[in-house]
Amino acid sequence: DSTNGTFVNGERIAKTVELNDGVRVQLGEAPLLRFSLQDDAEYAASSRLYEATVRDALTGVFNRHYIEERLEAEFAFAKRHERPLSVLYIDADHFKNVNDTHGHAAGDEVLRALSQLLIDTVRTEDVVARIGGEEFVVLVRDIEPVSMLSIGERLRSAVEALRIEHDGLVIPITVSIGVATMSRQTPYASAEGLLAQADAALYGAKEDGRNRVQLA
């Protein structure tokens, strides 16, 4: 009874049909799935393969490809239901100095520790991703703009208090954060525009001295 039609191996179905291993299932005009029967070992292998495509190898958080697709989906949902959606664009301050002073192994340790702190500090439903180098993005849904500054400040202060130890040394780190929120009062035409505005706010935070949060 799907209005847009459900297709199995290219044929629209009008009644219940049995799915066999490997059949193609199309939902409406675009979404296409492949139905697969797997034992535990095959399922584990498929899960590992999927995780490898969406996770950053160093830190374990989501990668740039995943967050770009997720942002598009979250943006469409938020716009359709008139719900707020925020992007926190986070950059580790003076990260090049860490690599130059302590070596790249220390830099990797800092990035892993920073990633874990972000995961531990935000809500379960928020999405953390590393988009390249020392830059991270956090997607936050259903939080009103007035509260986003305090959320950014909580992240910033937690990073500042973080003790990252490497080879017997404690490596201090701070972050600059740019925040942009789509809401009924501040609409955006596209997900890219929302991300770009958060990036611009991050640039402003770094220009104003780093280790700070700036709202778009």
Side-chain angles (χ1 to χ4, degrees):
D1 298 322
S2 167
T3 303
N4 295 323
T6 301
F7 303 80
V8 175
N9 284 338
E11 295 186 6
R12 182 166 182 164
I13 63 172
K15 61 181 181 180
T16 301
V17 298
E18 181 179 353
L19 297 181
N20 298 311
D21 186 39
V23 301
R24 291 177 292 108
V25 180
Q26 184 177 342
L27 309 176
E29 296 182 357
L32 181 63
L33 315 173
R34 182 176 294 277
F35 179 76
S36 178
L37 295 171
Q38 298 179 327
D39 59 24
D40 290 344
E42 290 172 327
Y43 175 76
S46 296
S47 297
R48 288 194 300 269
L49 180 61
Y50 172 74
E51 287 294 311
T53 64
V54 300
R55 297 281 181 180
D56 175 61
L58 175 65
T59 64
V61 299
F62 289 110
N63 59 25
R64 186 184 192 106
H65 175 73
Y66 176 87
I67 202 65
E68 287 176 346
E69 290 190 345
R70 181 66 179 268
L71 176 58
E72 289 284 351
E74 293 286 352
F75 184 89
F77 179 90
K79 193 168 187 177
R80 182 166 60 251
H81 295 281
E82 296 187 330
R83 302 299 303 163
L85 176 66
S86 299
V87 173
L88 294 96
Y89 211 125
I90 303 167
D91 184 85
D93 298 325
H94 302 297
F95 183 73
K96 184 177 183 300
N97 291 344
V98 175
N99 284 331
D100 292 345
T101 303
H102 303 285
H104 288 279
D108 290 348
E109 188 64 30
V110 167
L111 293 176
R112 283 191 289 263
L114 177 55
S115 299
Q116 191 59 53
L117 181 142
L118 294 176
I119 292 171
D120 292 341
T121 306
V122 302
R123 303 173 303 172
T124 303
E125 61 267 35
D126 298 330
V127 186
V128 180
R130 181 187 177 204
I131 61 172
E134 65 273 22
E135 293 184 332
F136 295 82
V137 162
V138 179
L139 298 186
V140 178
R141 56 155 55 169
D142 282 337
I143 298 293
E144 294 299 329
V146 67
S147 300
M148 287 308 303
L149 180 60
S150 61
I151 291 174
E153 280 292 338
R154 186 169 73 246
L155 288 174
R156 185 205 62 77
S157 62
V159 173
E160 189 175 30
L162 185 63
R163 291 180 58 85
I164 304 172
E165 296 186 6
H166 181 79
D167 284 347
L169 298 175
V170 175
I171 303 174
I173 191 73
T174 63
V175 292
S176 299
I177 304 176
V179 184
T181 301
M182 179 180 72
S183 64
R184 281 181 294 225
Q185 295 76 26
T186 310
Y188 283 85
S190 67
E192 292 85 352
L194 179 62
L195 183 63
Q197 198 64 31
D199 188 18
L202 168 63
Y203 181 80
K206 297 184 84 67
E207 284 287 294
D208 287 346
R210 294 182 171 82
N211 191 24
R212 58 188 295 119
V213 181
Q214 183 156 316
L215 302 180

